[in-house]
Structures are given as structure tokens and as C-alpha cells.
């Protein structure tokens, strides 16, 4: 293992600067590896999941289940994979199951954890656990109060074309495109499991 001590910043003091319903922001004073002081402002995030649902439409071709949702900070309707933040004490797999059902109406008989990503490492502790879901069964959506979104499907080729054309700009969904390509090509195998409770 490499010695990273020449890269590490050390906190000397800190203060809370904002606490909202969802976000919690801090300002810390740190010592750089050179010994000089610096300020770091960052947001503490509870973590989240993203689900890449694989739908067999009966023709033998896999479709991807996606969403179209208005995102206020960028004032745009975005194309995204289903995702959501962890509730306190909730496991990442349980969160993935819950978000898939709430937002799309689907439950899945098989699940595979793909990995984790850190979408905004410069100013947030957020991590997003990436899950694949297959053997989908459609039920009734359970959207949160005040949540409005459309569920859409696309072939992997259509989805990748949307990414290439700039129709998909959401970072987690673009990261999902990398996983989709490699998983469907067989380069990144997954370990599928059947959860006890879906």
C-alpha cells in the first residue's frame, strides 16, 4: 500500500454553517500537506442508491427502465435511472428495493450490487450505491408526496445514443451507462441474489 501522508489534509477546527431538512453544510479549517492553512466547505449527505432495472419485454431484448423528472436546481427535465437517498438505519439494498417500487412500480426477483460512486467529491460526502435489478414485476407506484415523474423504457442502444447526444447529462446516470455497456457485454460480471424480502 502506498504512503499517502504527503496528500492528506488535517482538520484543525470546524463549524456548522447550515442545517436543512436534507443538507447539512460545514466549514472546516485544515492544514495542507505543506503546513499552510486552508478552508474547506462541504455538505454532509446521508448517501443514496441508483437502480439499473433490466426489463425483459417478452421479445428477448432487454430494455432499461428510466425516469424523466424535473430537477429544480438546473430547471430541466432530466433522464435518470431510479434513485433516492438512504433513510436513517436503512441498508443500501433495502433502499434500492424501496426506491424502485416507489418510483416505477416495479419489484425485482434478482438483484446485483455493481459498485459505488462518489458524484461530487470536491464538496460533498455523498456516495451512490449502484444496483442492477432484473426479473421485474410491475405493480403500483408509491410516489412520495410532491414527487412527479414519468417512467420510460429504452433499449441499451437508444439509451447510449441519448448519452452521446447530450440528452442524458445526470452524472449518476452517465456512470450507469458505463456499467450497462460492460455488464451487457459480459466484461463486468455481476453476482445475482434473490433477497428474502422484496
Amino acid at each position: 500500500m502506498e504512503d499517502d501522508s504527503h496528500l492528506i489534509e488535517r482538520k484543525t477546527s470546524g463549524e456548522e454553517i447550515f442545517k436543512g431538512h436534507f443538507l447539512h453544510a460545514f466549514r472546516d479549517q485544515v492544514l495542507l500537506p505543506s503546513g499552510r492553512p486552508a478552508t474547506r466547505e462541504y455538505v454532509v449527505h446521508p448517501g443514496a442508491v441508483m437502480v439499473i432495472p433490466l426489463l425483459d419485454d417478452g421479445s428477448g431484448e432487454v430494455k432499461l427502465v428510466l425516469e424523466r423528472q424535473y430537477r429544480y436546481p438546473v430547471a430541466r427535465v432530466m433522464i435518470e435511472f431510479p434513485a433516492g437517498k438512504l433513510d436513517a438505519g436503512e441498508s443500501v439494498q433495502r433502499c434500492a428495493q424501496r426506491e424502485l417500487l416507489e418510483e416505477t412500480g416495479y419489484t425485482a426477483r434478482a438483484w446485483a450490487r455493481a459498485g459505488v460512486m462518489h458524484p461530487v467529491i470536491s464538496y460533498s460526502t455523498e456516495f451512490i450505491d449502484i444496483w442492477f435489478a432484473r426479473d421485474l414485476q410491475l405493480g403500483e407506484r408509491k410516489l412520495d408526496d410532491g414527487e412527479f415523474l414519468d417512467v420510460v423504457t429504452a433499449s441499451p442502444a437508444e439509451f447510449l445514443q441519448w448519452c452521446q447526444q447530450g440528452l442524458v447529462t445526470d452524472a449518476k446516470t452517465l456512470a450507469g451507462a458505463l456499467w450497462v455497456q460492460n455488464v451487457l457485454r459480459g466484461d463486468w460480471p455481476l453476482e445475482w441474489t434473490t433477497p428474502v424480502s422484496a
Side-chain angles (χ1 to χ4, degrees), residues 61-66 152-159 162:
E61 181 183 354
V62 171
K63 295 273 191 175
L64 302 170
V65 178
L66 297 138
V152 297
T153 61
S155 70
E158 288 172 322
F159 168 63
W162 293 348

Side-chain angles (χ1 to χ4, degrees), residues 19 24 54 59 79 82-83 98 109 124 145 147 172 183:
K19 184 167 187 179
H24 199 177
L54 305 177
S59 69
I79 299 171
R98 177 178 56 77
R109 291 197 181 105
S124 177
D145 186 39
E147 189 173 33
K172 68 183 180 302
V183 166

Side-chain angles (χ1 to χ4, degrees), residues 2 35 60 69 90 105 123 139 141 143 151 157-158 161 167 170 176 180 184 194 196:
E2 292 185 38
Q69 184 174 10
E90 185 177 40
Y123 63 86
R141 292 196 299 173
L143 294 174
V151 178
E158 288 172 322
Q161 186 175 41
L167 299 176
D170 171 56
V180 166
L184 295 183
T194 303
V196 175

Side-chain angles (χ1 to χ4, degrees), residues 1-141:
M1 195 68 155
E2 292 185 38
D3 178 9
D4 291 334
S5 60
H6 63 291
L7 301 173
I8 295 172
E9 301 173 358
R10 288 175 172 76
K11 177 179 172 180
T12 57
S13 66
E15 62 177 323
E16 178 184 86
I17 55 177
F18 173 79
K19 184 167 187 179
H21 175 69
F22 176 46
L23 298 176
H24 199 177
F26 292 86
R27 180 184 297 120
D28 289 355
Q29 302 304 314
V30 302
L31 283 180
L32 300 175
S34 65
R36 288 180 43 218
T39 301
R40 297 288 181 252
E41 294 178 347
Y42 60 97
V43 173
V44 172
H45 188 284
V49 298
M50 176 180 73
V51 182
I52 301 174
L54 305 177
L55 178 64
D56 182 351
D57 66 359
S59 69
E61 181 183 354
V62 171
K63 295 273 191 175
L64 302 170
V65 178
L66 297 138
E67 302 171 353
R68 296 180 68 252
Q69 184 174 10
Y70 181 77
R71 293 298 194 175
Y72 183 83
V74 293
R76 283 183 54 187
V77 172
M78 306 292 279
I79 299 171
E80 308 172 49
F81 282 119
K85 72 176 182 65
L86 287 161
D87 287 340
E90 185 177 40
S91 73
V92 288
Q93 185 171 21
R94 180 67 195 113
C95 182
Q97 293 170 292
R98 177 178 56 77
E99 289 292 343
L100 180 64
L101 174 61
E102 287 179 0
E103 295 185 356
T104 70
Y106 283 105
T107 55
R109 291 197 181 105
W111 289 85
R113 183 179 182 273
V116 66
M117 66 173 287
H118 294 90
V120 284
I121 55 174
S122 58
Y123 63 86
S124 177
T125 64
E126 182 179 7
F127 67 88
I128 301 176
D129 231 57
I130 304 168
W131 288 80
F132 277 74
R134 70 179 185 196
D135 300 335
L136 305 182
Q137 299 293 315
L138 184 59
E140 187 176 339
R141 292 196 299 173

